[in-house]
Amino acid sequence: MKPPINTQIKATPQNFIGQLKSLLLTEILSRLPVKSLLRFKFVLKSWSSLISSPEFTKYHLSLSANNNKDYTNHSVMWRIAQPEFNLKECPIMEETNLDYHMKNSGISCVNEGSVNGLICLVNEAKELFLWNPTLRKYKKLSDFRTKLKDDAHCTYGFGYDDIHDDYKKRGTINIADSIS
Amino acid sequence: MVKLKSNDDKEFEVEEAAVIQSEMIKNMIEDGCATSVIPLPNIDSKTLIKVIEYLNKHINMGKAAETGEEDDLKEFDEQFVNMGWEELFDVIMAANYLNIHELMELCCQSAADRLKNKSVRAVREMLKITNDLTEEEEQEIINDAPWAFEGPEIDDTVN
């Protein structure tokens, strides 16, 4: 798969990277971890626009998902941390507590699913957030429950829509709870 | 045997089993277009020698796995990418032109590994890049992810 990226890079006689076709620069940069990429936006204007482009992001995701044969980019996630449940006995794993931004606010969050490294969180106020732990960024999602009774019990689902290339959340209302 | 000609008019003979690792040449042979010398106008002899060295070592990748020569091949690959930036980029461009997937992977990964933990200053110096961002643009990038510029692993040396 080759991404349709066309970025102009200034070429000077001593500028190695200027001699590389932009497609080849994409091939190299897409093999870097996210932290390096965020830093390398600072290298050159064209690097910044290349790294920020949705085509590049998608290509980067496809490479890290497909080339990662030892599954080091994959994690098992527990929804709720409990001292009696842990993965420390499991020899191949490293356990980390995910550090989400509302952690210290006293509002507890429950993760409602994850796809492609994105995690959907719901807090006690029933606000929905999309969280990218690698970029350390949140996006608050629109609240689709406004038409519902406040006490309705809602269960959420989160997934990737391959046809529309978009992420979808889904709420299921527990009718028994809403009637009572 | 297949004959290849570099852009500085040097001819090289390569075994067919080795050269068909290049999708481009494989297609040419299948289409019957490789009966005489194949000119490669984008590749100089210095780079072509490197590419042929790789192709000869990597004949019958499957066999290596069977006979336990995988470690030997891995060691060769490590040694192979031990070259300067300019040379590495020439090989990447040749691998892309000839469509040699494994060689492309090897060299692009090597380039990425060299850059991975480098500071912005080190990357610019290594690749001889002059900064063209405005102060506002720089500030925006830092504000967006200040943590990407911090950490004990960040290496400011140029090598």
Side-chain angles (χ1 to χ4, degrees), chain A residues 37-145:
Chain A
L37 289 173
L38 291 174
R39 187 166 66 249
F40 294 165
K41 280 179 170 186
F42 205 93
V43 171
L44 203 61
K45 208 179 264 189
S46 57
W47 284 38
S48 171
S49 46
L50 172 68
I51 293 165
S52 311
S53 73
E55 292 87 356
F56 181 83
T57 312
K58 256 167 83 182
Y59 189 55
H60 186 268
L61 175 67
S62 75
L63 278 189
S64 38
N66 297 329
N67 288 358
N68 187 235
K69 303 212 168 66
D70 55 0
Y71 296 106
T72 43
N73 288 353
H74 294 68
S75 311
V76 176
M77 221 168 30
W78 286 89
R79 281 166 61 112
I80 299 159
Q82 293 278 346
E84 62 269 32
F85 300 125
N86 67 70
L87 296 169
K88 281 184 181 141
E89 285 80 18
C90 195
I92 55 161
M93 296 206 203
E94 211 177 279
E95 193 188 58
T96 39
N97 280 318
L98 289 171
D99 189 19
Y100 53 89
H101 83 146
M102 286 159 290
K103 207 173 179 180
N104 300 325
S105 65
I107 306 166
S108 65
C109 283
V110 175
N111 98 62
E112 291 290 347
S114 90
V115 182
N116 289 347
L118 294 175
I119 298 172
C120 180
L121 291 174
V122 182
N123 66 13
E124 278 173 352
K126 298 280 180 216
E127 289 170 317
L128 281 169
F129 294 88
L130 200 55
W131 176 36
N132 184 333
T134 320
L135 288 178
R136 308 187 191 183
K137 282 199 176 157
Y138 288 85
K139 190 176 179 182
K140 192 177 173 204
L141 301 172
S142 59
D143 189 355
F144 62 91
R145 295 172 316 110

Side-chain angles (χ1 to χ4, degrees), chain A residues 14 16-17 19-20 24 28 31-32 35-36 38-45 134-137, chain B residues 93 96 104-105 112 115-116 118 120 124 128-130 132-133 137 141 144 147-148 150 153:
Chain A
Q14 280 88 37
F16 300 153
I17 215 86
Q19 296 161 19
L20 264 194
L24 303 184
I28 295 168
R31 284 167 172 79
L32 285 166
K35 187 174 176 181
S36 312
L38 291 174
R39 187 166 66 249
F40 294 165
K41 280 179 170 186
F42 205 93
V43 171
L44 203 61
K45 208 179 264 189
T134 320
L135 288 178
R136 308 187 191 183
K137 282 199 176 157
Chain B
M93 284 202 277
N96 183 58
M104 186 74 185
E105 278 287 324
L115 295 175
K116 190 176 154 187
K118 291 291 174 186
V120 171
R124 283 188 189 141
K128 302 184 179 173
I129 290 171
T130 317
D132 65 349
L133 289 148
E137 285 167 332
I141 293 167
D144 194 42
W147 54 272
E150 297 155 6
E153 80 284 7

Side-chain angles (χ1 to χ4, degrees), chain B:
Chain B
M1 289 297 235
V2 177
K3 275 186 190 168
L4 305 176
K5 192 163 93 178
S6 64
N7 64 5
D8 45 354
D9 285 330
K10 292 199 175 116
E11 282 187 20
F12 300 88
E13 279 200 339
V14 193
E15 263 182 72
E16 191 172 318
V19 86
I20 56 165
Q21 292 171 81
S22 152
E23 283 292 321
M24 187 196 103
I25 293 174
K26 190 181 166 198
N27 290 340
M28 284 179 83
I29 293 172
E30 281 170 3
D31 296 344
C33 312
T35 43
S36 56
V37 184
I38 301 174
L40 302 170
N42 299 336
I43 307 174
D44 61 26
S45 54
K46 193 172 140 243
T47 309
L48 192 55
I49 289 169
K50 282 298 274 184
V51 173
I52 293 170
E53 184 195 347
Y54 176 90
L55 292 176
N56 283 335
K57 188 74 192 178
H58 277 253
I59 298 180
N60 300 331
M61 286 281 286
K63 252 190 199 167
E66 279 168 29
T67 53
E69 284 168 19
E70 262 179 333
D71 288 346
D72 181 36
L73 214 52
K74 217 176 146 193
E75 207 184 303
F76 168 83
D77 283 355
E78 274 168 26
Q79 287 296 318
F80 182 84
V81 289
N82 189 10
M83 51 177 119
W85 280 106
E86 205 165 358
E87 207 180 346
L88 183 69
F89 286 157
D90 284 342
V91 176
I92 290 177
M93 284 202 277
N96 183 58
Y97 174 69
L98 294 167
N99 201 353
I100 309 167
H101 182 73
E102 299 283 337
L103 181 58
M104 186 74 185
E105 278 287 324
L106 174 70
C107 294
C108 287
Q109 192 59 55
S110 166
D113 291 343
R114 292 174 195 201
L115 295 175
K116 190 176 154 187
N117 288 333
K118 291 291 174 186
S119 70
V120 171
R121 193 199 65 82
V123 171
R124 283 188 189 141
E125 197 166 319
M126 286 194 302
L127 303 179
K128 302 184 179 173
I129 290 171
T130 317
N131 180 21
D132 65 349
L133 289 148
T134 64
E135 258 177 54
E136 289 81 36
E137 285 167 332
E138 288 185 338
Q139 203 52 51
E140 208 177 296
I141 293 167
I142 292 194
N143 291 345
D144 194 42
W147 54 272
F149 294 81
E150 297 155 6
E153 80 284 7
I154 295 178
D155 174 9
D156 198 36
T157 60
V158 181
N159 52 41

